[in-house]
């Protein structure tokens, strides 16, 4: 149904109610700096899950929990044989996380349900709100664990066996908090929409309210080890050194250049670096550092991979040392469903919200869900592009705008019963 002619065309979500829910959830694991520390499968995570489940039941939803702990709040449709139109995100946070990352997507979905209930709107297909397990990966790896199991990116058995730094397994932690659900086949999904803060500065810098997410960047992560030779910092002449840190420093500059030369969507980052022996008066003999390469398509990502390996070979030759490059993670680029992306774009336009097409530089649960269902994402700005930080913030009117776009897109996919 064309939402312009739908009897629900004037329907809007309650931004104040959405904000109040976000602030109430943020009290669970609140930090002194105004953020949230609610790590996956801890007791605080249980409290957050319990609050969502209670809210969803109060909104008339039934609750299903699968074997990896994903929660699905189900609002019945006129035809229960149809696959649900789903939305959602996660409520686990980074140790120094904010109030909106993930949480917004979950509670925006709940606000859609509450809005439909208040207006007495029925949909042909069911609507579901998902809370995905361990998206952040700060306690257990891999990241985006719940949606990854759901989409078959890795097995349930592999995920349940993963252990944290204290040796506790995912399976044990799920049982401890009471969210070890039922094993069963993955249900079909008619369409999936995920609302999220952008976690970057593009929308704010361009003064746009809605980001129409066309795709998520592919990612290749590496561990690079430079093998030089330790030597005394005083007696060893500069021209006779095999300085692993000097070579690594050259490569950091090269890693940055790889993305700069492939703008606007390429990304490259050195995020960690370990020195051996890490002594003030010893020339470093070994340096290990991480490289994170991201691009919107595999061709460019492979080109960046070649550029990295060529730079390592050149520096090793020029500096007379050895450099090992090990790829440790690969996420293929994930385009989102063109029809659903266009629905987000058209609804933002119909509602009078400024918008622009964007590519997600971060991983989200939608990236995995897109492997098994038509998928789209809706971004809204966050202040100064800051996320994964206790000072993370978003404007209430932007959150409401994204929720309104979500509402209309879901109604169009689920079909309003008139």
């Amino acid at each position: 149904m064309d939402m312009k002619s739908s009897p629900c065309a004037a329907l809007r979500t309650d931004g104040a109610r959405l904000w109040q829910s976000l602030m109430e959830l943020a009290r669970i694991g609140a930090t002194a700096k105004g953020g949230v520390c609610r790590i996956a499968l801890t007791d605080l995570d249980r409290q957050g899950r319990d609050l969502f489940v209670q809210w969803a039941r109060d909104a008339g939803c039934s609750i299903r929990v699968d074997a990896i702990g994903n929660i699905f709040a189900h609002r019945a449709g006129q035809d229960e044989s149809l696959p649900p139109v789903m939305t959602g995100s996660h409520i686990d946070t980074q140790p120094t996380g904010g109030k909106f990352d993930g949480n917004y997507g979950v509670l925006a979905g709940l606000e859609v349900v509450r809005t439909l209930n208040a207006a007495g709107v029925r949909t042909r297909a069911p609507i579901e709100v998902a809370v995905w397990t361990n998206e952040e990966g700060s306690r257990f790896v891999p990241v985006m664990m719940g949606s990854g199991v759901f989409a078959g990116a890795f097995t349930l058995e592999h995920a349940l066996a993963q252990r944290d730094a204290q040796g506790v397994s995912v399976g044990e932690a799920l049982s401890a908090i009471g969210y070890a659900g039922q094993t069963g086949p993955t249900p079909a999904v008619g369409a999936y929409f995920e609302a999220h803060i952008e976690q970057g500065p593009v929308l704010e810098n361009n003064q746009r309210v809605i980001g129409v997410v066309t795709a998520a960047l592919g990612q290749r992560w590496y561990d690079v080890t430079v093998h030089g030779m330790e030597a005394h910092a005083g007696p060893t002449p500069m021209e006779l050194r095999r300085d692993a840190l000097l070579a690594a420093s050259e490569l950091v500059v090269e890693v940055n250049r790889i993305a700069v030369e492939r703008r606007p969507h390429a990304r490259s980052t050195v995020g960690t670096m370990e020195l051996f022996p890490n002594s003030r008066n010893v020339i470093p003999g070994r340096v290990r550092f991480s490289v994170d390469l991201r691009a919107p398509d595999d061709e460019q990502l492979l080109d960046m991979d070649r550029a990295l390996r060529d730079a390592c070979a050149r520096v090793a030759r020029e500096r007379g040392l050895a450099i090992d490059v090990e790829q440790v993670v690969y996420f293929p680029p994930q385009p989102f469903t063109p029809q659903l992306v266009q629905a987000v774009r058209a609804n933002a336009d119909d509602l009078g919200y400024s918008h622009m097409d964007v590519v997600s530089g971060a991983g989200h649960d939608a990236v995995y869900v897109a492997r098994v269902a038509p998928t789209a994402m809706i971004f809204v700005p966050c202040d100064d592009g800051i996320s994964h930080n206790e000072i993370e913030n978003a404007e209430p009117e932007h959150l409401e705008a994204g929720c309104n776009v979500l509402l209309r897109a879901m109604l169009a996919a689920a079909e309003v019963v008139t």
Side-chain angles (χ1 to χ4, degrees), residues 277-340:
N278 201 29
S279 177
R280 183 182 296 269
N281 61 345
V282 178
I283 299 164
R286 185 174 69 248
V287 175
R288 186 170 183 262
F289 62 94
S290 65
V291 175
D292 178 329
L293 302 181
R294 307 189 185 208
D297 60 73
D298 256 331
E299 183 178 354
Q300 187 174 75
L301 199 54
L302 285 170
D303 180 50
M304 295 169 73
D305 174 273
R306 286 189 293 269
L308 172 65
R309 294 179 188 276
D310 288 349
C312 289
R314 177 181 58 77
V315 171
R317 183 174 60 253
E318 292 175 353
R319 292 291 170 188
L321 35 71
I323 300 176
D324 297 329
V325 182
E326 179 187 5
Q327 181 177 294
V328 294
V329 167
Y330 169 58
F331 289 115
Q334 182 59 65
F336 293 130
T337 307
Q339 295 91 333
L340 298 191

Side-chain angles (χ1 to χ4, degrees), residues 52 70-73 86-90 105-106 109 128-132 192:
F52 170 79
N70 296 321
I71 304 168
F72 302 94
M86 185 183 290
T87 188
S89 196
H90 61 96
V106 170
E128 287 192 346
V129 182
V131 180
W132 302 106
Y192 178 77

